[in-house]
Amino acid sequence: MPANPTQLSKFLSFVLRHKPDSIGLVLDQQGWASIEDLIAKGNAVGTSFSRADLLDVVATSDKKRFSLSDDGQRIRAAQGHSVAVDLGLLPREPPSVLYHGTATRFVDAILSEGLKPQARQQVHLSADEATAYRVGQRHGKPAIFKVGAGHMHSKGFVFFIADNGVWLTDLVPPEFLMLSSPSV
Ligand code: HQG
C-alpha cells in the first residue's frame, strides 16, 4: 500500500533507529542505509514509496529526524537509535543548561538513579524548555528537568549534538539534575 507521509516517517524511524533487520536492511556502523535498498526492501514488505516520497518526508520532518549523505545515496536517522551505531559526532561544549522532558511518574526514579538512555543509545536533551515540554508530553503528564550540562562538561562528561540539534550524552547523574516548574 502506498504510505502517507506520517506512516512513511514512522516506518523510516522504525527501520533506521530500531529494527533494520525486520526488512532485511543493513545499516553501516554510522547508521547509514542505501536509499535504493531501503525503497526495494520497504516495497517488498508492502510499504510502497518512491525516492521522491522519501525525500519529501526528509525535507518536511518537523524534527528533521533524517539526514541524507552528501552524495544523496544514503539516509540515516539523526538520533534516537536503539541499535548500536556510531554517529561519528564530535564532542561539543554544551550550553550551561540543557533540558529533559519526561513524565511525572518517572520523576522519583530519575531523581534517585539519574537520567539513563533506557532503550536508546544515549540520553536526549533539548536546548530549550518548550521542546523538552513537548518531549515529556509524549509520555504522559510532563515534568521538566534542568540539566547542569556546563557543570557536567567541566567534570569530563562528553556531549554531542545530532544533525537535528538534539543534544546527546551517555547519562546524567542525579547531582546534575534540578526539577523545574514548567514556564511554557
Ligand atoms: C525516562 C523523540 C525512569 C526518560 C523526542 C524518558 C526525543 C527514566 C523515557 C527522542 C530514567 C525514555 C527521545 C530513569 C530516563 N528511571 N525513567 N532512571 N531515565 N527515563 O522515548 O528522551 O519524535 O527513549 O525521561 O523528541 O523521551 O521519536 O526518550 O521519559 O528527541 O523523533 O525514560 O525521541 O523524538 O523515553 O525521547 P525515550 P525521550 P521522535
Side-chain angles (χ1 to χ4, degrees):
M1 235 180 34
N4 70 39
T6 304
Q7 287 167 335
L8 182 52
S9 177
K10 289 189 174 181
F11 173 80
L12 294 175
S13 289
F14 181 73
V15 297
L16 295 174
R17 289 171 169 176
H18 307 301
K19 295 269 181 200
D21 47 337
S22 68
I23 61 165
L25 188 70
V26 176
L27 307 185
D28 76 6
Q29 281 187 337
Q30 298 206 329
W32 295 105
S34 145
I35 290 177
E36 196 183 327
D37 203 21
L38 173 61
I39 293 171
K41 290 187 163 138
N43 280 269
V45 297
T47 302
S48 67
F49 58 96
S50 64
R51 187 181 167 86
D53 296 333
L54 182 132
L55 295 181
D56 185 51
V57 165
V58 172
T60 57
S61 168
D62 54 348
K63 294 183 184 170
K64 301 197 188 322
R65 292 182 177 89
F66 311 104
S67 308
L68 297 176
S69 60
D70 290 341
D71 64 4
Q73 301 302 309
R74 294 177 303 155
I75 183 170
R76 75 176 180 185
Q79 38 68 228
H81 298 81
S82 56
V83 290
V85 290
D86 173 3
L87 293 173
L89 303 172
L90 296 175
R92 290 273 294 268
E93 184 173 346
S96 61
V97 175
L98 287 168
Y99 299 89
H100 179 85
T102 188
T104 51
R105 69 183 184 283
F106 299 143
V107 164
D108 288 349
I110 292 171
L111 283 172
S112 74
E113 299 168 6
L115 283 173
K116 296 175 168 182
Q118 309 292 48
R120 304 193 195 249
Q121 293 288 292
Q122 289 181 304
V123 171
H124 287 52
L125 304 170
S126 311
D128 66 284
E129 205 172 347
T131 302
Y133 191 82
R134 283 194 296 275
V135 173
Q137 274 181 323
R138 291 161 51 250
H139 297 288
K141 186 163 185 271
I144 297 179
F145 282 101
K146 280 188 181 173
V147 175
H151 188 193
M152 283 178 71
H153 186 253
S154 72
K155 299 266 183 195
F157 288 84
V158 181
F159 288 78
F160 303 91
I161 186 165
D163 296 347
N164 61 356
V166 172
W167 283 89
L168 304 168
T169 195
D170 287 345
L171 77 169
V172 180
E175 62 265 34
F176 301 105
L177 288 169
M178 198 170 73
L179 196 56
S180 151
S181 321
S183 60
V184 282

